[in-house]
Amino acid sequence: MSSRLHIYNTLTKQIEEFQPAEPPFVGMYLCGPTVYGDPHLGHSRGAVMMDVLFRYLQHLDYKVRYVRNITDVGHLLNDADEGEDKIGKIAKANKLEPMEVAQQYTNAYHHALQKMNVLPPSIEPRASGHILEQIEMIQEIISNGFAYESNGSVYFDVLQYAESNNYGKLSGRKLEDLIAGAGEERRTLEGQEEKKNLNDFALWKKATPEHIMKWNSPWSEGFPGWHIECSAMSGKYLGKQFDIHAGGMDLLFPHHESEIAQSTACNHTTPAKYWMHNNMITINGQKMAKSLNNGVLIEELFAGNHHLLEQAYSPMTLRFFLLQAHYRSTLDFSNEALQGSEKGCERLLNASAKTETLPIANISDINVHEWADKLYAQMNDDLATPQVIATLFEAAKWINEIAAKKMKITSEDRTKLHATFHTFIFDILGLVSEDQGNNDALDGVMNLMLDIRKTAKENKDWTTADKIRDGLKAAGVEVMDGKEGSTYKLS
RNA sequence: GGUCGGAUGGCCGAGUGGCUAGGCUCAGCUCUGCAAAAGCUGCUACACCGGUUCGAAUCCGGUUCCGACCUCCA
């Protein structure tokens, strides 16, 4: 528990106090998606985690530049698709421009995140728009003696680098193990024979004839290697050294390890001070993966049209579900768990709507300041959002008790409770009430229906009252009777 | 095979050497014409076997099981 933000740094394997290099400025980078498919649940986790960090840092008055890239070039497929650009492959099948495909999936990613109330980053660079920067970086690495050209491609010389640097310092791998592990299970990537060593990775790949997305370079017409784009773009917009670099745990090796190697070989410095990694989403205990046929697209979750889903789940349900687990733990996905989040999220938001109208008294049965301090301490403890949510539920309980006049609160405490509750739920956790209705015509119709039903109830005409209620339910509108009249929501 | 992580109540998930997170489900209750919604109350778990300790789910050792990475991946 601390009054200052602490985050877990994968580089040091411990929780450290967050100290930006040049306060109040903070530079943070998240490895965004490769846009060769619709966004799946996994994409949402890193985006939401960084969104909460982004929001919290801003709440703490930092001036944050948040860079989240779009990878629209260069990822190689293996197996049957050897050497072919993923985006290029799909484009040919659909007879679309490669950039059209990339744009389509980029849009899909944006839409999904927008629904989840994820703030747009400060800068969202595309790899295809930074070919020049990548080429320049490769040239610098070559001239520093850490890369070599081979048959039109350029490879990073891991062994050369390891002589003076620690290749493996992020992932905890030892080069001997990597070499030793290159045994029977290792698959053969295209162009392996061009490398001096199997652990060398591509900085630039010469394009095969069927390759669509390719650019001129000093070495060949080709495309950049997978890792170099993030190094080039983070360097361009955040500087050679910046504060936070994040991504999924599956990117730890080789992607981030290689990023560190490249940047160090180029700039003689480790690019980021803090490395953060979110864990995977699992389903029945296994990582979601296309190859396991258990991947769920974000839009499928929202629409409920996936064979593993019993119903549709709202964007806020997903956001709340993600936040209920710590970002460094795996999160197991199931209908039961999602339904739990749906109800819980609703309960919390219901309570939040009552804070301003709570009856006041001249004493308080609760210690609002202690409660607020606890929230900050929990956020500061490596973004312990599950605990923050638990603490918010404490207040939700108070709010309900106060509303039922079983507890008391002073006016001053109520103001503080309201402000803090809202700050955490809406500004920091980024939840938002999913207002149904907000359609004037529907509101008008519903108010009329509810008014007719009210009259019927007053006349004890239960037949009419129930007919309206049941009929509306069949039409997808749920009527909820309360002490102060009836309300409705779309179901 | 190598490296690393995890096993918590019906479900999801926090966490700490002693003061039994939280949500959901379930049960009871309040409210209600009935129901739903909403609210309240209840439900004492930490894989197994040893050890350290006054005390361990939390520390140490071992066992079993699961997962991640090593190859594109959020």
Side-chain angles (χ1 to χ4, degrees), chain A residues 302-453:
Chain A
F302 294 166
N305 58 0
H306 184 280
H307 70 278
L308 292 168
L309 298 172
E310 289 169 7
Q311 61 168 87
Y313 299 95
S314 75
M316 274 313 112
T317 298
L318 175 56
R319 186 170 180 117
F320 190 78
F321 175 67
L322 294 171
L323 261 19
Q324 266 188 312
H326 187 81
Y327 74 89
R328 285 195 286 121
S329 302
T330 55
L331 205 207
D332 201 48
F333 166 99
S334 67
N335 281 287
E336 237 178 328
L338 249 352
Q339 282 158 12
S341 291
E342 183 176 51
K343 292 266 178 62
C345 184
E346 210 175 313
R347 198 159 100 82
L348 199 57
L349 291 173
N350 282 345
S352 79
K354 297 183 196 169
T355 50
E356 274 182 309
T357 54
L358 252 23
I360 54 169
N362 47 17
I363 55 156
S364 278
D365 292 325
I366 54 179
N367 189 331
V368 177
H369 289 270
E370 207 172 84
W371 168 78
D373 288 347
K374 194 164 146 190
L375 286 170
Y376 281 100
Q378 290 168 333
M379 274 308 286
N380 288 339
D381 183 17
D382 195 28
L383 309 179
T385 56
Q387 293 178 65
V388 167
I389 288 173
T391 303
L392 290 172
F393 270 113
E394 261 179 53
K397 189 164 187 157
W398 296 338
I399 289 165
N400 289 326
E401 298 260 358
I402 292 165
K405 300 198 169 65
K406 288 183 181 172
M407 286 179 91
K408 292 188 172 75
I409 190 168
T410 63
S411 171
E412 194 187 330
D413 279 355
R414 187 181 72 178
T415 304
K416 169 106 176 159
L417 177 71
H418 172 78
T420 308
F421 205 58
H422 280 242
T423 296
F424 272 82
I425 291 179
F426 301 115
D427 300 346
I428 296 174
L429 295 185
L431 297 171
V432 64
S433 295
E434 292 176 312
D435 275 337
Q436 3 271 327
N438 61 31
N439 173 324
D440 290 345
L442 180 64
D443 265 349
V445 171
M446 282 308 300
N447 287 339
L448 178 64
M449 296 299 286
L450 293 178
D451 192 52
I452 293 170
R453 180 158 174 272

Side-chain angles (χ1 to χ4, degrees), chain A residues 5-296:
Chain A
L5 176 61
H6 287 62
I7 54 179
Y8 180 85
N9 188 354
T10 311
L11 202 51
T12 58
K13 293 186 176 39
Q14 52 191 351
I15 291 176
E16 299 175 353
E17 183 177 334
F18 176 65
Q19 293 175 313
E22 293 173 58
F25 300 99
V26 173
M28 58 188 236
Y29 187 93
L30 173 68
C31 286
T34 305
V35 283
Y36 64 92
D38 283 315
H40 55 79
L41 248 30
H43 289 111
S44 69
R45 196 169 191 191
V48 167
M49 165 192 96
M50 282 301 266
D51 187 51
V52 169
L53 179 61
F54 185 36
R55 287 164 175 276
Y56 189 54
L57 288 171
Q58 288 180 318
H59 174 75
L60 296 178
D61 286 331
Y62 285 110
K63 308 286 178 234
V64 188
R65 179 178 295 163
Y66 173 25
V67 179
R68 186 185 69 200
N69 72 291
I70 294 288
T71 296
D72 54 359
V73 296
H75 282 195
L76 287 172
L77 292 177
N78 45 32
D79 296 335
D81 306 309
E82 270 186 29
E84 214 174 355
D85 189 300
K86 280 179 184 172
I87 290 165
K89 180 177 183 287
I90 296 168
K92 276 192 294 186
N94 296 349
K95 306 264 192 221
L96 293 170
E97 270 299 315
M99 273 319 244
E100 203 174 349
V101 177
Q103 185 68 52
Q104 179 188 320
Y105 291 127
T106 302
N107 291 345
Y109 180 70
H110 288 159
H111 287 150
L113 295 189
Q114 193 179 9
K115 284 184 189 171
M116 296 177 73
N117 201 28
V118 170
L119 298 171
S122 320
I123 299 177
E124 187 169 57
R126 289 165 165 255
S128 62
H130 297 76
I131 301 295
L132 201 60
E133 287 84 351
Q134 296 179 73
I135 288 173
E136 284 170 359
M137 195 163 175
I138 295 168
Q139 286 174 317
E140 181 69 20
I141 297 171
I142 293 175
S143 66
N144 287 346
F146 292 109
Y148 55 91
E149 184 191 344
S150 176
N151 193 27
S153 292
V154 181
Y155 294 98
F156 189 86
D157 193 336
V158 171
L159 289 183
Q160 176 66 35
Y161 174 79
E163 277 182 21
S164 48
N165 297 277
N166 179 5
Y167 184 77
K169 69 177 178 181
L170 180 69
S171 59
R173 273 158 221 282
K174 295 188 176 70
L175 197 52
E176 311 86 81
D177 295 336
L178 289 172
I179 294 165
E184 68 285 356
E185 287 301 313
R186 186 149 189 149
R187 290 188 204 166
T188 34
L189 285 167
E190 190 215 2
Q192 208 70 302
E193 66 288 347
E194 295 172 349
K195 297 180 183 177
K196 287 188 191 172
N197 182 281
L198 282 178
N199 295 296
D200 293 351
F201 53 88
L203 296 175
W204 187 264
K205 284 289 285 179
K206 182 180 175 179
T208 49
E210 63 270 24
H211 217 94
I212 295 179
M213 286 186 120
K214 51 194 169 188
W215 292 265
N216 283 320
S217 78
W219 314 285
S220 66
E221 191 174 52
F223 53 94
W226 174 33
H227 316 301
I228 196 74
E229 44 160 310
C230 286
S231 297
M233 293 188 287
S234 62
K236 174 162 182 171
Y237 298 111
L238 297 173
K240 290 174 182 174
Q241 279 187 294
F242 54 95
D243 300 305
I244 301 169
H245 190 126
M249 232 167 218
D250 48 351
L251 298 182
L252 218 157
F253 189 91
H255 186 56
H256 290 161
E257 193 69 65
S258 300
E259 267 191 63
I260 289 179
Q262 289 165 351
S263 295
T264 306
C266 184
N267 305 320
H268 313 290
T269 170
T270 301
K273 183 174 178 186
Y274 303 94
W275 289 76
M276 299 176 73
H277 292 92
N278 61 278
N279 215 318
M280 303 291 100
I281 286 180
T282 60
I283 185 155
N284 297 324
Q286 271 194 316
K287 178 178 131 178
M288 251 182 214
K290 272 188 179 168
S291 55
L292 294 165
N293 206 18
N294 64 355
V296 178

